Every structure is written in structure tokens, then in C-alpha cells.
């Protein structure tokens, strides 16, 4: 999907309460990593519950262009036969990651310490996103790159023929950067040490351990952690059962909270504490969210969420919580619009370099629907209560902006239109159908 394709507007309007079960698809972060690590292991990795959305399918295509064998064996069931650490082959085509920053940045790491030249690109949104944050530290391993002005894609990356282990502190609070460095370190002889001050999602570390990597994580005085990983170790294949994506669950979850009378169950959701900042915040706002069947699956905590419509109140969200809910601010802003009083969100500079400048997109969308919001360089304050709606929201090729404002339209006085829902397929292709199944009303709007 690219900007040149015809946009597909959609309108959401208030109907009855939402009720029933919302089975959301597999976690996007874990799905990308399962395919990449499968491609780096020797032997057959089996994945179930894989997110079959455009972003992850782009990574599957890239891993196959890099020489891995991938087979789809049924809904969400995939088998990957890897090439081994250092065994990826030079692709004879451009690797196109579409809208996916995670796919692009993780694969940069995976190829940076193998002698090859790879050309990577993406759609109009991804070609505007910063890549230097990954490419610069990859040069410490001996990789070289050529990017457009500003470190933008298309990028040519030349993997190091004689990689070196590194010691490096990640400069931004980014799981993608950290993960790219860990993947690169796999083929660098000796021990690499990656320090991160912000505790971002740790799926790469967990999954590397499950694939047999020699990896140790040490908590640092004063916060943060150091990850040590030994290179040139063979990875063994694994069985990966992908839990449901909490970042996708966030949409039916907030919808159930704000549509009066709703009662929704979302089964099997990943509850890794580095991903649950939204649930913690909503509970502080007065949300009725219960967890049932809490259990462990594949080294991750999961559970069923039971969500009932609630009267919400505004809160101050601690800025240090941002990494554990970085993708959830658009939908939190919608919850805040329906909450009594002010919700203050800060520490959000990273939101400016997501699939869109999410801070500006949220603020513009809220204002278009009569919600009072103040914007600062790194945050926003929403004053909530009744929401008028009636506006049209520009989504800027951003799936989460589209889904968030459709959720708003389910509870606002007048309907809300988003200018394009085509990007929803990058992470949550079943969104419309799933929400309709709960009782949501969407109308196809005129372009
Ligand atoms: C992701 C990390 C986050 C998040 C993205 C997925 C990952 O990005 O926004 O949707 O899977 O590692 P950053 O690492 O840029 O914060």
C-alpha cells in the first residue's frame, strides 16, 4: 500500500453497547522477531498465531529474499527453515518493508554483520522516518551505508565482512534500535554489550534466549540495563506461539470503556509488563478491566481481558511509562477525550517519528471533533467530557490514527470520519469486521 493508491474513507457512528468476544490477531513485535530469528537458526522453526498483516508479511518476504525458506501452513501457522547465523544470502532485489519501521530496522541489524550488499526501502511514510539511529551504531560493527539526506531510505547497507563486537549505549528509547544491535551482534565474534537506559520491550532478548543464544541481562544502578550477547553461536530452531497483540487489543478495549453499557472479552492478550502501560493508566482513570485466566505461554505472560463501560477521569501519565505504551497514545487520547477533567501526557518526543507525526495527528483529529487539547513539543493535555464529533480526521498513512478516531466515532455525539482506512491492513486487517461483530457501526464514506 502506498500513498498513490486510492484512499478508503470510513465513518464510525454511535450505536448500541458493544458486547461479545474480540479475538485480536497475533502480536506484531513478536511476529517479526519469530520470522527473523527463524531465518537465523539452523533447522525448522514453527510459528503459530503469526500476525498475517502487511507489515509482517513484508518481513517474511525479506527473509525469503535473504535465503530462508518460509512456508505458510494454515491460518497463522508458518514454518521457517533458517540459514544459520552469518548464513543469510545477498538479496538480488530491493527489500521493500512497506509501512513497517520494525521490519526495516530489525532486518538492517540482521544483515549488518554478514558480507553482503542490501538495498532497503519502504512506502512514503517509512521513507520519511529516521534510519540513522540504527545505521550509525551498526557502523561500529564494521557495516557501511549510504542513505538519502537526513538518513532516510532508500538505504544501501554493506554488511561487515569482518565484524567486530561492540560496547554501545543506545541513544534513543527504542526497542527497534536495541534489537537491531542484538541481531547484528549475533555474527560478531566475542561479546557485545548493549546498554539501554529506558526499559523498552524485551521480546528480542527473550526470544534470543529461547533460540539458544548466549545472552545475559543485568540491571544497572540508576535504572536501565546492560545486555551482553556472545557472537558466532549457532541458533537452534524454536516453537513460537504468538500471543494476541496488546496494541491491537487497545482499540476494542477503549471502545468498550467509552460506549455506554458495553461488556467485552479479549482473550489471550500478551501482558508483558513492558507492554501494559495503557492498561495501568486506564485503571488509574477508573476503567473496569479485569484479567482472567492469567497464564504463561512461550515465556510470556498472557491473560483474558474483561472490559466494561466505565466513567473515566483525567490523570497525569508518568513520562517514564511512555516506553511501555508508546504505540497506545493515540487511543489513550481518545479515552482522555471522554474522561472528566485533564489528562496530561508528556515525554512523547518519539511519537513525532512514528508512522506519522502522531502528536500533531492526534491533536488535529481531536480539534476537528471539538475536543480541547494543548500541544507541546513532547506532549499534550486533553480536557475531556462530552465529545461532539462530526469531524473528518486526516490519518497521514497511520493505521493507529485511523483506528483510534474510528473508536472515537462510536461514542461521540455526531459521527466521525477518517480519510483513509487502507493502512489498517498493516497491523490489524480484521479490525472492521471484529468491531462490527461487537456491534460497532461503520459506514463507507464518500472519498
Ligand atoms: C517496536 C518498537 C516500537 C514500537 C513499534 C514496534 C518493536 O518502536 O513503536 O510499533 O517491535 O520493537 P521504537 O523502537 O521505535 O520505539
Amino acid at each position: 500500500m502506498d500513498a498513490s493508491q486510492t484512499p478508503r474513507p470510513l465513518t464510525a457512528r454511535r450505536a448500541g453497547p458493544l458486547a461479545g468476544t474480540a479475538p485480536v490477531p497475533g502480536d506484531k513485535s513478536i511476529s517479526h522477531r519469530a520470522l527473523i530469528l527463524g531465518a537465523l537458526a539452523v533447522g525448522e522453526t514453527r510459528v503459530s498465531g503469526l500476525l498475517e498483516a502487511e507489515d509482517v508479511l513484508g518481513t517474511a518476504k525479506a527473509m525469503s529474499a535473504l535465503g530462508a525458506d518460509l512456508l505458510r501452513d494454515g491460518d497463522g501457522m508458518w514454518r521457517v527453515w533458517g540459514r544459520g547465523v552469518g548464513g543469510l544470502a545477498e538479496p538480488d532485489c530491493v527489500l521493500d518493508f512497506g509501512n513497517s519501521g520494525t521490519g526495516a530496522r530489525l532486518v538492517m541489524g540482521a544483515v549488518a554483520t554478514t558480507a553482503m550488499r542490501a538495498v532497503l526501502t519502504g512506502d512514503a511514510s517509512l521513507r520519511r522516518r529516521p534510519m540513522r539511529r540504527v545505521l550509525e551504531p551498526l557502523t561500529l560493527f564494521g557495516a557501511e551505508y549510504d542513505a538519502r539526506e537526513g538518513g532516510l531510505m532508500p538505504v544501501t547497507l554493506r554488511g561487515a565482512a569482518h565484524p567486530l563486537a561492540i560496547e554501545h549505549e543506545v541513544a534513543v528509547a527504542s526497542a527497534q534500535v536495541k534489537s537491531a544491535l542484538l541481531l547484528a551482534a549475533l555474527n560478531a565474534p566475542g561479546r557485545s554489550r548493549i546498554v539501554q537506559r529506558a526499559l523498552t520491550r524485551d521480546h528480542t532478548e527473550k526470544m534470543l534466549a529461547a533460540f539458544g543464544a548466549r545472552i545475559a541481562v543485568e540491571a544497572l544502578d540508576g535504572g536501565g540495563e546492560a545486555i551482553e550477547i556472545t557472537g558466532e553461536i549457532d541458533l537452534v530452531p524454536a516453537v513460537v506461539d504468538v500471543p494476541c497483540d496488546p496494541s491491537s487489543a487497545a482499540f476494542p478495549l477503549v471502545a468498550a470503556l467509552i460506549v455506554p453499557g458495553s461488556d467485552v472479552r479479549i482473550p489471550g492478550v500478551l501482558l508483558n509488563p513492558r507492554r501494559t502501560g495503557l492498561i495501568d493508566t486506564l485503571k488509574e482513570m477508573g476503567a473496569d478491566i479485569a484479567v482472567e485466566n492469567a497464564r504463561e505461554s512461550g515465556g510470556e505472560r498472557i491473560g483474558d481481558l474483561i472490559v466494561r463501560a466505565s466513567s473515566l477521569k483525567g490523570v497525569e501519565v508518568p513520562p517514564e511509562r511512555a516506553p511501555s505504551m508508546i504505540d497506545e497514545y493515540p487511543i489513550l487520547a481518545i479515552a482522555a477525550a471522554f474522561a472528566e477533567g485533564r489528562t496530561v501526557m508528556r515525554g512523547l518526543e518519539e511519537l513525532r517519528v512514528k508512522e506519522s507525526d502522531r502528536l500533531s495527528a492526534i491533536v488535529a483529529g481531536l480539534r476537528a471533533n471539538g475536543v480541547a487539547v494543548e500541544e507541546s513539543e513532547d506532549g499534550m493535555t486533553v480536557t475531556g467530557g462530552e465529545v461532539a464529533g462530526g469531524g473528518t480526521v486526516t490519518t497521514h498513512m497511520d493505521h493507529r490514527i485511523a483506528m483510534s478516531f474510528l473508536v472515537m466515532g462510536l461514542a461521540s455525539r455526531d459521527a466521525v470520519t477518517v480519510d483513509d482506512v487502507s493502512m489498517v491492513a498493516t497491523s490489524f486487517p480484521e479490525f472492521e469486521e471484529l468491531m462490527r461483530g461487537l456491534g460497532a457501526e461503520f459506514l463507507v464514506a464518500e472519498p
Side-chain angles (χ1 to χ4, degrees):
M1 176 89 237
D2 211 328
S4 55
Q5 286 179 254
T6 320
R8 198 163 69 80
L10 194 70
T11 298
R13 74 167 179 212
R14 201 168 170 156
L18 302 177
T21 299
V24 301
D27 186 67
K28 183 149 70 72
S29 296
I30 293 181
S31 296
H32 283 294
R33 287 159 173 81
L35 297 181
I36 295 170
L37 287 182
L40 290 172
V42 179
E44 182 188 332
T45 286
R46 285 171 181 253
V47 189
S48 59
L50 188 90
L51 170 65
E52 293 178 314
E54 286 172 10
D55 277 12
V56 175
L57 297 177
T59 293
K61 222 168 142 192
M63 296 331 288
S64 140
L66 289 161
D69 282 322
L70 290 90
L71 178 75
R72 185 177 186 273
D73 220 8
D75 279 357
M77 310 286 290
W78 286 64
R79 296 190 201 192
V80 184
W81 289 270
R83 303 268 305 199
V85 168
L88 295 179
E90 179 168 283
D92 64 1
C93 57
V94 172
L95 305 179
D96 187 343
F97 291 90
N99 198 243
S100 180
T102 309
R105 292 178 177 135
L106 265 52
V107 170
M108 285 176 186
V111 305
T113 47
T114 300
M116 71 164 81
R117 182 191 300 236
V119 182
L120 299 88
T121 193
D123 69 10
S125 153
L126 190 55
R127 294 195 307 269
R128 286 191 289 266
R129 296 180 65 187
M131 294 297 152
R132 246 188 222 139
R133 52 176 55 201
V134 181
L135 292 166
E136 270 307 312
L138 288 176
T139 63
L140 303 173
F141 289 102
E144 293 172 20
Y145 72 91
D146 217 339
R148 276 196 305 134
E149 185 68 26
L152 303 181
M153 298 211 292
V155 159
T156 300
L157 184 58
R158 253 184 308 277
H162 304 288
L164 305 163
I166 67 165
E167 287 202 10
H168 179 73
E169 181 168 326
V170 180
V172 277
S174 165
Q176 292 176 1
V177 175
K178 170 185 66 176
S179 300
L181 300 182
L182 292 174
L183 293 172
L186 280 174
N187 200 38
R191 200 156 54 186
S192 289
R193 181 179 163 90
I194 310 298
V195 170
Q196 61 162 0
R197 292 290 160 189
L199 297 184
T200 57
R201 66 194 69 194
D202 55 1
H203 309 306
T204 308
E205 296 89 306
K206 286 187 164 187
M207 221 185 268
L208 276 166
F211 277 81
R214 206 184 293 163
I215 182 167
V217 181
E218 173 203 345
L220 297 175
D221 291 341
E225 46 193 31
I227 306 155
E228 289 200 340
I229 180 160
T230 304
E232 293 190 317
I233 297 271
D234 281 343
L235 293 187
V236 293
V239 174
V240 183
D241 189 10
V242 183
C244 299
D245 195 328
S247 300
S248 297
F251 300 106
L253 192 163
V254 169
L257 291 174
I258 62 175
V259 176
S262 297
D263 188 345
V264 168
R265 169 183 287 265
I266 314 173
V269 179
L270 173 69
L271 295 175
N272 178 317
R274 300 213 183 164
R275 299 286 301 278
T276 50
L278 176 74
I279 296 177
D280 299 338
T281 304
L282 290 169
K283 281 188 168 168
E284 288 168 12
M285 295 172 79
D288 181 353
I289 304 170
V291 177
E292 286 183 5
N293 286 323
R295 56 202 185 272
E296 281 266 322
S297 171
E300 293 282 8
R301 218 159 74 82
I302 66 168
D304 304 345
L305 300 179
I306 319 297
V307 191
R308 295 189 186 89
S310 307
S311 302
L312 303 177
K313 60 175 184 358
V315 293
E316 277 215 22
V317 186
E320 61 277 12
R321 195 179 283 167
S324 69
M325 54 183 298
I326 195 65
D327 290 337
E328 280 67 78
Y329 283 94
I331 191 66
L332 175 63
I334 303 303
F338 289 89
E340 257 339 295
R342 286 153 55 88
T343 297
V344 182
M345 296 166 259
R346 290 209 196 88
L348 307 184
E349 47 287 311
E350 277 297 304
L351 284 198
R352 298 215 179 265
V353 290
K354 294 293 178 189
E355 285 82 332
S356 67
D357 173 346
R358 279 192 178 150
L359 264 181
S360 305
I362 295 167
V363 167
L366 289 175
R367 288 193 179 139
N369 287 286
V371 179
V373 52
E374 292 153 43
E375 179 180 4
S376 65
E377 207 25 62
D378 77 332
M380 63 189 150
T381 298
V382 176
T383 304
E386 299 273 295
V387 177
T392 296
V393 175
T394 308
T395 52
H396 301 283
M397 302 183 72
D398 190 327
H399 54 134
R400 299 203 199 278
I401 298 296
M403 289 185 277
S404 297
F405 282 96
L406 287 171
V407 167
M408 171 180 259
L410 300 177
S412 53
R413 189 190 62 214
D414 296 327
V416 173
T417 298
V418 302
D419 69 342
D420 185 17
V421 288
S422 51
M423 302 315 288
V424 168
T426 62
S427 71
F428 195 170
E430 309 83 345
F431 172 78
E432 268 176 71
E433 197 189 326
L434 179 146
M435 294 301 295
R436 281 202 172 97
L438 297 175
E441 248 187 64
F442 296 135
L443 312 164
V444 178
E446 291 298 316

